[in-house]
Amino acid sequence: MGKQKNPSRTAENEAMAKARMLRASPQKLNLVAALIRGKKVERALSDLTFSKRRIAQDVRKCLQSAIANAENNHNLDVDELVVAEAYVGKNLTMKRGRPRARGRFGRIIKPFSELTIKVRQIEEQA
């Protein structure tokens, strides 16, 4: 008679992590997310560690969280994990401004974004 359980957003061999309120535009964050899509997690972590982009450290933290979720919550093998999905969404936008010439007002937009990373366990072929 009670409510039914919500269906899981991930499959049996998947784990997910989300990072919200990242202080970068979605366009810039998507460049870093594209860097790791489809790669093995150890390769993706090393790529993010040595990336020159500022937001890469936050993406690395989110990926490490997804790996930890896979290991602790879903009992998946860390050595066989692959970044299945990494997608970016918009979040709020701070509006600021500064005075400009002839009494005008220059708008400064400071966007935030959010990142979702899904890792999937893939069995190696012989």
Side-chain angles (χ1 to χ4, degrees):
M1 222 14 226
K3 288 176 24 176
Q4 288 188 355
K5 189 175 104 173
N6 283 337
S8 178
R9 290 186 287 172
T10 59
E12 293 293 322
N13 62 342
E14 282 185 341
M16 184 177 90
K18 232 176 176 178
R20 290 191 170 100
M21 298 297 288
L22 295 175
R23 183 60 192 87
S25 72
Q27 187 175 9
K28 291 178 185 176
L29 185 59
N30 195 34
L31 291 173
V32 179
L35 187 68
I36 63 170
R37 278 189 201 114
K39 291 186 179 179
K40 287 186 150 291
V41 291
E42 59 188 36
R43 177 67 195 266
L45 281 173
S46 66
D47 286 352
L48 290 172
T49 303
F50 297 109
S51 174
K52 290 187 176 184
R53 296 194 176 265
R54 176 189 62 84
I55 199 66
Q57 297 310 313
D58 292 330
V59 175
R60 188 169 150 260
K61 281 162 92 172
C62 185
L63 179 58
Q64 286 174 331
S65 176
I67 295 168
N69 289 343
E71 186 177 14
N72 297 318
N73 301 345
H74 300 280
N75 298 322
L76 302 178
D77 185 19
V78 176
D79 297 328
E80 296 178 356
L81 289 179
V82 171
V83 179
E85 299 176 26
Y87 52 90
V88 177
K90 283 185 181 180
N91 209 318
L92 66 89
T93 303
M94 284 195 303
K95 279 110 177 163
R96 299 291 182 263
R98 81 182 277 174
R100 306 304 292 169
R102 298 166 72 180
R104 293 197 173 99
F105 184 73
R107 284 183 43 180
I108 297 173
I109 296 173
K110 300 186 174 192
F112 285 77
S113 53
E114 58 184 48
L115 171 71
T116 305
I117 294 179
K118 284 188 182 179
V119 293
R120 184 177 296 141
Q121 181 175 348
I122 304 265
E123 292 79 25
E124 294 187 22
Q125 293 84 14

